[in-house]
Each structure stands twice: as structure tokens, then as C-alpha cells.
Amino acid sequence: MFEALERLPADPILGLSAACTADPNPDKIDLTVGVYKDESGQTPVFAAIQRAQEALSEREVTKAYLPQVGDANYIAGIRTLLLGETHPALAAKRVTSVQAPGGCGALRVGAEVIKAASPNAKVWISAPTWPNHIPLIGSVGLEFKEYRYYDAATHSVDFDGMLEDLATANAGDVLLLHGCCHNPCGADLSPEQWQAVTGLVADRGLMPFIDTAYQGMGKGLEEDAFGVRHMAEHLPEVLVAASNSKNMGLYRERTGAILFCGTGAEEAEIFASQATKAARKIYSMPPAHGAILAGMVLSDPALNASWRQELAAMCERLNGVRALLDEKLSAATGKDYSFIRRESGMFSFLGLSSEQVDRLREEFSVYMVGSSRVNVAGVNKANVDYLASSVAAVL
Ligand code: LMR
């Protein structure tokens, strides 16, 4: 049956990471997949998660299925993490959340419910966006339109272009936004720009779908949630796909949630029923382990404080690496890389051609995504000089 199928090319992000792992060069640098690394190149388990895990192994008495909506502590905790304790949408009880297998699962479940509600809605995506948005959302049969977002010449958001493009969207179209730490470009909307986009969404009757996978890794947990909170306060409907892969280090545990703010409690419950139905036909039940741990961290004050501290330290390291990268790249090449400091989160474009990216990989064992997107967490004091001289050599 399957002999007629063709072998597919490797994933544009994960395939490069695998190629780097197989590279025997001791000087190799892996700047590919968006996984946090510390100064020694390790992806640590958060101490708070470790402690929760130890406590769980003592008290866990069953591996029976979770409820379809997910672990109760987790889905309540993720609502307050995203929206803040005192958000008016929570007070109005117009928010529901359903656990999903990571941010990807949340995006897919969200797309399924959008398709059920409005089969002809177009999904507006930023140019560029995370490449996996296309298969994840497109495979339910929704079509895409692109809005201008990143201006490579100025290394910043082309906000006029974005507004101009979105002014042509039809009522009922979906606007996919990155909540913070834009993947792949690292250039985020300012609070004023979020306010302006919220006004446009209200005027044109669009449906915002916010993908937030890096809360706490840009400016801080509260600052990074500005867009989600503002839209949830000022718009009748907002959909959020949240991931705890990065901000709790739970990557392989597939921990995420789809959160919906509706016009009232009834609509929010309808959404949750649709989301669990959509999940049932794809993967049936949510995975338990990561969500139970995340739920413990979100609900236990001591674990929560410890986790916030660790996350703040990661955020500080990322911003420190950004400054170091700017300094070293600017010195090695004579070009201006100060935009790297102004961008947020794990990713920035280095502004290299695909030929230059290929040469970096083939001649220097420096691995980055073809668009020249780098995971800045892969940079440290021990490899930054080699990286900067390699980039200078291919320029
Ligand atoms: C990335 O963009 O590198 C991460 O979000 C991991 C992934 O699944 O692609």
C-alpha cells in the first residue's frame, strides 16, 4: 500500500537540529530548534517542576484518564497565568480553558472549532510566521491570507503595512497573532500597537487567535501577557493557544491549553464542549503528566514563587545573550546588530541569505534555520566568538 508514497524532506527546523546532533565537529553550534539552553548548553528541568514531580510520584495512585477538559488545577491556573488574577473577563465568568497536547495541540483544536463555526473564514498570518502554523491550521481546511509584519530593512515591525493589509480583511476573518516573542523574528508589537490592533479588530469584526508560547521569556510574565489581556478585556471574543513547553521547560510532556473568552458564560461553555469534541476525534484525551506538574506549580505558592524566579533568570540570561551577540557580531563584521537587543524572546533573524546560512553549516558547523533565524539561547560566552567570526567569514 505505501510503496507509492515518496520519502518526505526533513522538517525545516527539527531536521536541522538532528543534523547538528550528528555533526562530529566539536566546535558545532546549534541555533535551530526553540529550546532554552543555559550557559553550559543544557536544557534544564526547572527545580519547581522537579519538586512537583517528586511529590507526584509519592502521591500518584492512578494513571486513569484525566477529565476531557484536562487537569483541574492546570486549566484554572493557566487562565490566571494568561489573564492575571483580577481580569474582568474572569470576573464575568466568560472564560473557559481546555488542556491540549502543547501549543500545537491547542492551535489545532482552536482551528477545528473555528472551522466548525465559520468554514469560510480566512486566517490572516504574519509575514513571516512560524512555518508549522500552516500545516497545523491549514489541515482543517481553513485558508490563509498574509499581512505584512517584519521589515527586514529596518529590523522592526512594519506596522503601517500590517494595518493597511488588515484593513482589507472581511468580518469574521481570523487574525493569528503572536502573543509575545514573535517566532521567527523576535519583533513584538508595543502596548500602543496592541491597542491599535484591538481597535481595528473591533471595527472590522475580526476574530483574534493569539499564539502564546513564550510568556515570561521576553520582558517578563506580566509584560508579555499585555496583548492577550488587553484584547480579552476589550473584545467580545478572543481565542488563545498557550504552551508551557518553554516557560516551564515541559517540551516533551506536551503541555498546553486553548483558552476562550466569549460574550458570556454560555458561549464559553459551548466553546469548551466543541473543543473537547474536536480533541476526541484527533487524540481523544489530553496527556496527564506535564499538566499535573504545571497545575501543581501554578497552584502551590512555594512552587509558584520558585518557578517565577527561575523563569525570570532565564529571561535575564536571554536578554544578556542578546546584548553579547550584538556586541560581538558588530565588532566582528563592522555592521549594526543593535536590533538584536531590541527584539524579544528566543529568536532573531541574522539577516543572512540562504547561501550564507548553508556555508555557515557546511564550512563552520554553525546551524540555524534557512531564514537565518537563530535561537539566541544557543549562544554562550564560550561559543560567541566562534559564531561571530564564522558569520563575518561568510558575509
Ligand atoms: C521552534 O520554532 O523552533 C519551536 O517552536 C519548536 C518547533 O516545534 O518548531
Side-chain angles (χ1 to χ4, degrees):
M1 178 192 272
F2 303 112
E3 65 271 13
L5 293 180
E6 285 173 19
R7 178 190 288 269
L8 295 175
D11 181 87
I13 298 174
L14 306 179
L16 283 165
S17 170
C20 184
T21 303
D23 187 334
N25 184 343
D27 294 328
K28 67 185 176 183
I29 305 182
D30 186 353
L31 306 176
T32 59
V33 62
V35 168
Y36 178 81
K37 292 178 194 162
D38 64 17
E39 190 55 31
S40 66
Q42 298 303 310
T43 302
V45 179
F46 280 70
I49 291 290
Q50 190 68 54
R51 292 219 304 279
Q53 201 155 240
E54 283 157 16
L56 181 63
S57 79
E58 293 287 311
R59 75 166 199 222
E60 189 170 52
V61 289
T62 182
K63 291 284 186 189
Y65 297 118
L66 288 180
Q68 275 184 286
V69 289
D71 176 72
N73 280 334
Y74 176 65
I75 56 173
I78 196 74
R79 286 199 287 266
T80 39
L81 181 63
L82 291 167
L83 295 174
E85 300 279 347
T86 57
H87 196 280
L90 288 176
K93 299 199 183 322
R94 59 183 193 90
V95 186
T96 43
S97 45
V98 172
Q99 193 189 312
C104 287
L107 284 163
R108 176 59 189 263
V109 167
E112 294 271 352
V113 184
I114 290 167
K115 176 77 178 171
S118 182
N120 297 319
K122 301 274 183 293
V123 181
W124 288 78
I125 49 171
S126 61
T129 196
W130 182 47
N132 210 27
H133 276 149
I134 315 290
L136 268 175
I137 296 171
S139 55
V140 306
L142 291 165
E143 285 173 21
F144 295 100
K145 292 245 188 185
E146 252 187 8
Y147 60 88
R148 276 170 282 173
Y149 188 79
Y150 185 68
D151 180 354
T154 60
H155 303 283
S156 59
V157 178
D158 175 5
F159 194 60
D160 291 341
M162 176 178 178
L163 293 186
E164 218 175 280
D165 290 345
L166 292 178
T168 67
N170 292 319
D173 281 354
V174 175
L175 172 56
L176 186 68
L177 294 157
H178 297 233
C180 62
C181 307
H182 189 282
N183 182 2
C185 71
D188 284 340
L189 298 177
S190 67
E192 296 70 32
Q193 289 171 333
W194 274 107
Q195 285 162 348
V197 174
T198 304
L200 181 143
V201 164
D203 291 347
R204 301 209 63 80
L206 308 182
M207 174 67 217
F209 190 5
I210 309 176
D211 180 3
T212 189
Y214 299 88
Q215 187 186 355
M217 301 186 102
K219 296 193 166 61
L221 271 175
E222 310 307 318
E223 296 88 332
D224 292 348
F226 179 86
V228 166
R229 292 176 187 181
H230 184 77
M231 285 198 156
E233 182 169 353
H234 295 281
L235 295 171
E237 293 180 323
V238 178
L239 199 50
V240 183
S243 165
N244 298 104
S245 295
K246 333 277 169 168
N247 66 8
M248 290 196 179
L250 285 168
Y251 308 90
R252 63 175 68 167
E253 304 292 2
R254 313 310 298 134
T255 307
I258 182 92
L259 175 127
F260 177 69
C261 302
T263 48
E266 174 64 12
E267 198 201 0
E269 290 303 330
I270 290 172
F271 182 91
S273 76
Q274 291 278 339
T276 50
K277 179 86 176 173
R280 181 76 170 138
K281 72 178 182 193
I282 317 173
Y283 52 80
S284 192
M285 310 283 188
H289 191 66
I292 292 175
L293 300 179
M296 290 166 77
V297 167
L298 291 171
S299 61
D300 178 288
L303 291 179
N304 195 278
S306 152
W307 165 67
R308 281 171 185 262
Q309 223 170 36
E310 285 175 89
L311 182 60
M314 281 184 178
C315 183
E316 202 180 308
R317 189 184 108 74
L318 285 174
N319 289 322
V321 169
R322 287 184 168 279
L324 183 68
L325 202 49
D326 165 28
E327 182 195 319
K328 297 288 185 175
L329 284 174
S330 301
T333 64
K335 288 167 159 272
D336 177 13
Y337 285 92
S338 57
F339 64 90
I340 295 177
R341 289 175 193 255
R342 292 191 296 275
E343 294 171 350
S344 268
M346 273 201 212
F347 306 114
S348 278
F349 286 131
L350 291 191
L352 302 171
S353 67
S354 59
E355 290 75 24
Q356 289 165 332
V357 170
D358 289 346
R359 279 193 61 201
L360 278 170
R361 187 177 63 253
E362 285 156 13
E363 295 173 30
F364 299 92
S365 296
V366 172
Y367 290 75
M368 62 189 68
V369 179
S371 57
S372 85
R373 185 198 83 165
V374 291
N375 169 14
V376 301
V379 180
N380 53 50
K381 291 190 187 81
N383 67 17
V384 69
D385 289 313
Y386 177 69
L387 171 63
S389 64
S390 305
V391 169
V394 302
L395 277 176

